[in-house]
Amino acid sequence: MRNRLIAANWKMHKTPAESTAFLASLFPLVQNNTSAEIVICPAMTSLAPLADAARGSSIAVGAQTMHWLDSGAYTGETSPTMLTAMGVTHVLIGHSERRQYFNETDTTVNLKLKSALQHGLVPIVCVGEHINERNRDLTEDVLRLQISVALEGIDCEKLGPLVVAYEPVWAIGTGHTATPETAEDAHKIIRAEIRRHAGEEIAAGTRILYGGSVRPENAGSLNGMEDVDGALVGGASLESDSFAQIVALFAEQPA
Ligand code: 13P
């Protein structure tokens, strides 16, 4: 049984004060949760205060992106060593908004994944097809290519911490959640591609999260799918009530 992981991606929302206030309101709402892992990925400016406020609790803090190098002349970037020094433990890699607006590619995803593993950060690698790719029946090709380039040249023994988030681009921020069956099909493809690269043991242990308009109304049915191991939540993670409800639904063992 893979341990559930529920991650909040706050994107470009919340000041440091708003971030720590959220955490204070989340703590009592999730105090009964002992099974699902919770990770919050705030904006860069909230990482240090949130990591300080979460220290000693069961809530982890992740970055939304990072550079793959430790230091250098890269204006505006943040390095993995800067993240770990703040107490950040997770990092999103290759979110579709980074790919779409900031020129991230499968190749930079690969560099970042290698770097995250080397620095002991838990990588959450985001993959997913655009609507035109789905309509042309290219979903499987797109997912296989994204996973295959991401994992290129990485020793499978190092891939234990890997987490993948399947986020179909057409489902992000649109209210059009993938059906549980559509998500399950995609997760099976992703797991099969991980298996091809890294073998059965790593594939069976890799958490694959679903992201794209996850809400309290659909979290329970997504959690019922065999290969859905958690969620990456955007909009519904901005309010502690709805995020805590999603955590609770995923923390329940599916029947
Ligand atoms: P929404 O939950 O707002 O659709 O965002 C999903 C997402 O992009 C999480 O990374």
Side-chain angles (χ1 to χ4, degrees), residues 60 113 131:
L113 175 56
I131 191 64

XYZ file of all heavy atoms in Angstrom, residues 60 113 131:
21
model
N 4.727 19.090 5.639
C 5.981 19.394 4.957
C 5.792 20.575 4.008
O 4.664 20.897 3.609
C 6.462 18.169 4.184
N 15.282 16.962 -11.849
C 15.016 15.716 -11.116
C 16.315 15.134 -10.565
O 16.396 14.754 -9.389
C 14.298 14.718 -12.037
C 14.053 13.325 -11.449
C 13.290 13.389 -10.138
C 13.295 12.449 -12.446
N -5.296 19.441 -24.344
C -6.566 18.935 -24.881
C -6.428 18.505 -26.351
O -6.994 17.489 -26.768
C -7.727 19.956 -24.700
C -9.070 19.309 -25.015
C -7.537 21.219 -25.506
C -9.475 18.179 -24.103
